[in-house]
Amino acid sequence: MKIIETVKEMQGIADDLRRAGKKIGFVPTMGYLHEGHLALVRKAREISDTVVVSIFVNPTQFGPTEDLDRYPRDFERDRSLLEAEKTDIIFFPDARQMYPERYATYVQVRGLEDFLCGRTRKGHFIGVATVVTKLFNIVKPHYAVFGQKDFQQLKVIERMIKDLNMDLEIIPYPTVREKDGLAMSSRNTYLNPQERERALLIHESIKKVTELFKNGIRDASILKEKAREVLLSKDGLDIEYITIADTETLEDIEIIKDKALYAVACRAGKTRLIDNTILMED
Ligand code: AMP
């Protein structure tokens, strides 16, 4: 396994691999890896000859009051987890490599950023689209695997690929959960035991909304109200949003026809947690 820290070296290796006819599979991450990330790596391993994983805590996707400085980092641990998954290359640049002096170019995917997390995390998806564009230009992958846990991010990237004619395939991967249903996230490490317990309400709300949908309820306001009741039960969570939305445009839906996205963002203490599921007729 190689660890590459410079853009130039990574691009050179990507060129050589492409010339040799190798398919490059890529998993972009911010590190502090968990089973969710590793499932993406396994998927990339399955479909490509060379697997590249990037570890970069991208400053441009964090707002001024967000957790950039305290975002968890443990490169040695990440390195051994990735080695065990037969990763070929870790791309591990620092912020100077990615955003040198006089850096000025940003990628904006309009429309999709107006909903869900984009409402409160102003500029977040510009940071995401920008860093992912840069990573694609550096790693030159044929496939890039993204988790559905960050559903809006996945949609933003898919839109960007189409709009900018980027020549690669995006592979979505289902959300990996802890045994009790909590979606895995590097930020779960912030939770104290009481917050960890309350965080389970998010999965409870997914189960509730799914059950009601299966029982024929299609009115989004009823589904959202029931979700709210679950999220506020026991000591409850601070709700940022509860949405029933179109799976492509992310616009709010009032009455669900065949399918919809149920997505929530909540806080347990200071920790922001997101989760979602697709409601769909069998
Ligand atoms: P992050 O390191 O949080 O930026 O995530 C890197 C990639 O891993 C993104 O494509 C995420 O959607 C994906 N990911 C994070 N958590 C999970 C999870 N629990 N299940 C599946 N994919 C995930």
Side-chain angles (χ1 to χ4, degrees):
M1 188 173 70
K2 284 192 186 126
I3 294 160
I4 305 297
E5 297 186 8
T6 69
V7 169
K8 223 179 170 59
E9 200 183 346
M10 187 65 240
Q11 283 175 323
I13 293 173
D15 286 341
D16 291 345
L17 288 166
R18 280 188 163 249
R19 255 195 304 275
K22 303 290 184 202
K23 295 287 186 205
I24 304 173
F26 179 41
V27 182
T29 82
M30 298 207 297
Y32 211 74
L33 304 178
H34 52 64
E35 266 302 310
H37 295 113
L38 299 180
L40 270 52
V41 175
R42 278 173 218 134
K43 182 70 196 173
R45 182 74 282 164
E46 207 181 291
I47 58 178
S48 20
D49 300 308
T50 302
V51 174
V52 182
V53 177
S54 63
I55 298 180
F56 180 60
V57 182
N58 173 38
T60 64
Q61 71 188 68
F62 286 79
T65 60
E66 294 181 1
D67 57 345
L68 173 63
D69 291 337
R70 65 182 194 116
Y71 195 84
R73 292 164 170 90
D74 188 343
F75 182 72
E76 281 315 314
R77 182 171 158 275
D78 291 347
R79 181 223 286 260
S80 65
L81 289 170
L82 291 174
E83 183 108 58
E85 297 300 335
K86 301 190 176 52
T87 303
D88 297 291
I89 298 170
I90 303 179
F91 179 53
F92 183 51
D94 64 16
R96 267 285 141 126
Q97 270 295 308
M98 294 298 278
Y99 300 106
E101 235 180 295
R102 290 190 289 282
Y103 186 87
T105 305
Y106 293 87
V107 180
Q108 181 174 26
V109 180
R110 289 191 179 156
L112 290 174
E113 63 173 9
D114 298 339
F115 307 104
L116 307 165
C117 298
R119 285 196 177 125
T120 42
R121 302 190 75 188
K122 294 285 175 218
H124 169 69
F125 289 105
I126 294 178
V128 168
T130 301
V131 79
V132 171
T133 299
K134 288 171 64 65
L135 289 168
F136 287 172
N137 286 334
I138 297 165
V139 174
K140 310 187 189 199
H142 297 84
Y143 308 110
V145 190
F146 284 85
Q148 285 171 342
K149 153 123 193 318
D150 301 280
F151 192 85
Q152 185 171 18
Q153 169 171 284
L154 172 65
K155 290 294 140 181
V156 164
I157 302 301
E158 286 177 342
R159 183 77 260 153
M160 179 181 87
I161 296 298
K162 284 200 191 104
D163 290 354
L164 297 182
N165 312 102
M166 292 183 178
D167 192 13
L168 77 159
E169 198 180 323
I170 302 300
I171 314 289
Y173 195 88
T175 302
V176 178
R177 299 178 178 282
E178 302 284 358
K179 278 206 182 70
D180 60 8
L182 179 68
M184 290 194 183
S185 163
S186 307
R187 289 189 169 99
N188 291 350
T189 186
Y190 297 149
L191 299 169
N192 69 31
Q194 295 79 14
E195 291 165 347
R196 173 68 182 74
E197 188 64 30
R198 279 188 282 143
L200 271 185
L201 293 170
I202 297 176
H203 188 242
E204 293 300 316
S205 82
I206 288 183
K207 286 196 292 192
K208 184 76 190 174
V209 169
T210 304
E211 178 198 314
L212 292 169
F213 180 81
K214 285 207 169 120
N215 290 340
I217 299 192
R218 295 292 180 271
D219 184 331
S221 58
I222 297 176
L223 295 172
K224 286 190 277 191
E225 192 41 48
K226 294 293 177 192
R228 183 177 302 277
E229 279 171 22
V230 173
L231 293 165
L232 295 178
S233 65
K234 300 177 190 163
D235 276 336
L237 296 162
D238 294 323
I239 300 169
E240 186 181 300
Y241 66 74
I242 302 174
T243 304
I244 304 275
D246 184 277
T247 55
E248 290 307 315
T249 66
L250 305 183
E251 285 168 292
D252 280 336
I253 290 181
E254 280 170 23
I255 303 293
I256 305 173
K257 292 199 188 80
D258 46 351
K259 67 172 178 174
L261 171 73
Y262 165 65
V264 297
C266 291
R267 260 171 220 281
K270 281 189 183 157
T271 306
R272 187 173 181 278
L273 301 165
I274 58 170
D275 206 341
N276 69 78
T277 196
I278 304 292
L279 304 169
M280 199 163 40
E281 285 172 30
D282 290 334

